[in-house]
């Protein structure tokens, strides 16, 4: 059986049989694709594939042919996602008004607004990103096929169902390494968008804690006249304080749940199944941080951009026949 080449939306790199493989699918819709082999400066062979296997259709949805991922099957979830955007905008406007009226340092306001912008970008990235939906033509990864493992099929999608995959009835797709469907994201949280989801939780937690520290110091320790809020600012700050307390408690709970999932290698659904079945057997290894945030520079971990995985197929737990055929046609395969 030929070896599967793993791929990524941005780029792909792996070591296999003393070759360096690169997968960078950035070709235009309907454009030609090619795979080439060559020798790098250090005399190491490499494999480069610039084919884009993803849909370029300008349509919103969760079907395989949709070019932009968006769950349209859950109106309440869409409303909850919009509420998150409104609350982030409300907190940002409140802090901006405090800075404009000289009740708050402009530097602190800039820091808080930057955190709000990163939280909003992380939320949008999570909402509009494919969480790891399994394509109809997905096949087992090469390592699993060589071990002759038993493979399951989804009765709804009628396609290959990798380990740790669950079918989401709201998105109507099988999601690789699915943790849960989050209504606040209006999307599932899976292997492909876990990074942006964790970033959203972290930035929301930091922003809430920072706002409470600022308001607390202002109330208990500041005796200057500029520290006294007046007019509508009093009510804006009171409401924002309640929102920050609620979001701090909520994100702390979700972050602790995510940390347990990373340390155990089991998502929320799998852990709930174990509790219902009164079993504690865990054959999964803890998740590597590189399988969440990618192998790029550590600074890229702080921004909601697509992670670059060292082995995309291994992280998503499935491969694609197209990549196998392209690799085989270039005579860089193993039988």
């Amino acid at each position: 059986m030929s070896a599967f080449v793993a791929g990524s939306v941005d780029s792909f790199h792996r070591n296999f049989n003393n070759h360096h493989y690169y997968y960078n699918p950035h070709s235009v819709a309907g454009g030609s694709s090619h795979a080439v082999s060559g020798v790098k400066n250090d005399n190491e062979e490499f494999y480069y594939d610039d084919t884009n296997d993803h849909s370029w259709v300008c349509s919103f949805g969760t079907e395989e042919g949709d070019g932009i991922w968006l769950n349209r099957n859950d109106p309440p979830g869409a409303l909850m996602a919009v509420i998150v955007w409104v609350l982030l905008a409300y907190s940002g406007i409140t802090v901006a008004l405090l800075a404009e009226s000289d009740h708050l340092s402009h530097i602190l306001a800039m820091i808080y607004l930057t955190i709000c912008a990163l939280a909003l970008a992380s939320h949008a990235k999570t909402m509009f990103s494919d969480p790891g939906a399994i394509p109809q033509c997905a096949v087992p990864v090469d390592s699993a096929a060589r071990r002759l493992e038993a493979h399951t099929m989804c009765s709804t999608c009628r396609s290959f169902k990798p380990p740790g995959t669950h079918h989401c009835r709201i998105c109507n797709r099988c999601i690789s390494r699915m943790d849960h469907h989050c209504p606040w994201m209006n999307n599932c949280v899976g292997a492909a968008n876990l990074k942006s989801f964790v970033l959203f939780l972290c930035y929301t937690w930091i922003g809430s804690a920072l706002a409470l520290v600022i308001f607390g110091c202002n109330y208990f320790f500041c005796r200057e006249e500029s520290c006294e809020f007046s007019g509508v600012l009093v009510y804006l700050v009171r409401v924002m304080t309640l929102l920050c307390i609620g979001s701090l408690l909520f994100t702390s709970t979700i972050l602790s749940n995510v940390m347990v999932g990373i340390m155990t290698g089991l998502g929320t659904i799998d852990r709930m199944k174990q509790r219902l079945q009164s079993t504690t057997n865990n054959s999964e290894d803890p998740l590597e941080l590189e399988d969440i945030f990618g192998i790029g520079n550590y600074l890229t971990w702080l921004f909601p951009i697509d992670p670059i995985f060292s082995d995309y197929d291994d992280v998503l737990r499935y491969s694609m026949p197209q990549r196998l055929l392209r690799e085989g046609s270039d005579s860089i395969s193993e039988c």
Side-chain angles (χ1 to χ4, degrees):
M1 183 175 182
S2 300
F4 292 95
V5 178
S8 158
V9 173
D10 289 325
S11 62
F12 168 74
H13 169 270
R14 69 178 285 196
N15 293 322
F16 182 77
N17 199 23
N18 296 325
H19 288 86
H20 287 276
Y21 292 84
Y22 297 88
Y23 180 64
N24 193 357
H26 286 292
S27 60
V28 297
S32 60
S33 61
H34 63 281
V36 297
S37 60
V39 180
K40 295 185 67 178
N41 296 332
D42 54 359
N43 295 324
E44 293 179 337
E45 297 184 22
F46 69 90
Y47 175 81
Y48 180 85
D49 192 344
D50 67 350
T51 305
N52 192 333
D53 290 325
H54 297 266
S55 174
W56 282 75
V57 178
C58 186
S59 61
F60 295 85
T62 58
E63 299 297 328
E64 194 168 340
D66 292 318
I68 303 175
W69 182 276
L70 177 63
N71 176 29
R72 300 185 300 173
N73 303 322
D74 186 20
L79 177 61
M80 293 173 70
V82 172
I83 290 175
V84 173
W85 292 6
V86 171
L87 294 180
L88 285 172
Y90 172 86
S91 61
I93 293 173
T94 300
V95 170
L97 291 175
L98 290 175
E100 184 181 8
S101 57
D102 295 327
H103 292 296
L104 182 65
S105 167
H106 286 74
I107 296 178
L108 282 176
M110 288 288 292
I111 294 175
Y112 184 83
L113 291 176
T114 300
I115 295 174
C116 280
L118 289 171
L120 183 58
S122 300
H123 185 280
K125 182 63 177 176
T126 307
M127 180 178 176
F128 293 105
S129 290
D130 183 343
I134 308 299
Q136 193 71 28
C137 57
V139 294
V141 294
D142 186 55
S143 58
R146 289 177 184 275
R147 290 194 299 267
L148 299 178
E149 295 180 350
H151 306 301
T152 59
M153 302 288 291
C154 176
S155 59
T156 304
C157 296
R158 299 184 181 276
S159 62
F160 168 60
K161 190 175 182 180
T165 298
H166 299 281
H167 184 87
C168 177
R169 295 182 180 179
I170 299 176
C171 295
N172 197 30
R173 294 290 298 276
C174 281
I175 307 300
S176 175
R177 220 171 67 203
M178 178 179 175
D179 186 83
H180 67 288
H181 183 94
C182 181
W184 295 103
M185 301 289 120
N186 191 34
N187 197 5
C188 286
V189 176
N193 66 349
L194 180 59
K195 171 190 173 181
S196 55
F197 180 69
V198 172
L199 288 179
F200 169 76
L201 294 175
C202 291
Y203 287 131
T204 304
W205 192 95
I206 294 173
S208 301
L210 178 60
L212 290 176
V213 169
I214 292 174
F215 296 157
C217 292
N218 180 279
Y219 183 81
F220 291 105
F221 303 108
C222 186
R223 293 295 181 265
E224 299 178 4
E225 185 177 351
S226 61
C227 297
E228 297 181 5
F229 303 146
S230 59
V232 70
L233 289 178
V234 175
Y235 300 100
L236 291 176
V237 170
R238 288 177 179 175
V239 174
M240 184 175 171
T241 301
L242 295 176
L243 292 176
C244 287
I245 294 174
S247 63
L248 187 68
L249 295 175
F250 181 75
T251 53
S252 297
T253 303
I254 303 300
L255 270 174
S256 62
N257 184 69
V258 171
M259 290 294 99
V260 172
I262 293 175
M263 290 186 293
T264 61
L266 292 174
T268 303
I269 297 177
D270 291 321
R271 296 200 305 276
M272 291 178 64
K273 284 185 175 181
Q274 283 192 351
R275 292 181 191 140
L276 291 175
Q277 298 171 359
S278 299
T279 59
T280 57
N281 295 329
N282 182 16
S283 59
E284 295 288 340
D285 296 324
L287 293 178
E288 299 289 340
L289 291 180
E290 287 79 7
D291 291 343
I292 300 174
F293 297 96
I295 60 173
N297 189 286
Y298 288 142
L299 289 177
T300 63
W301 290 19
L302 303 177
F303 300 98
I305 58 178
D306 288 324
I308 302 174
F309 297 129
S310 61
D311 192 330
Y312 187 81
D313 287 1
D314 184 62
V315 174
L316 272 293
R317 300 179 179 178
Y318 72 87
S319 189
M320 295 289 287
Q322 294 91 328
R323 293 198 283 271
L324 169 63
L325 293 174
R326 288 196 297 271
E327 179 192 359
S329 64
D330 209 53
S331 300
I332 309 180
S333 60
E334 182 179 274
C335 299

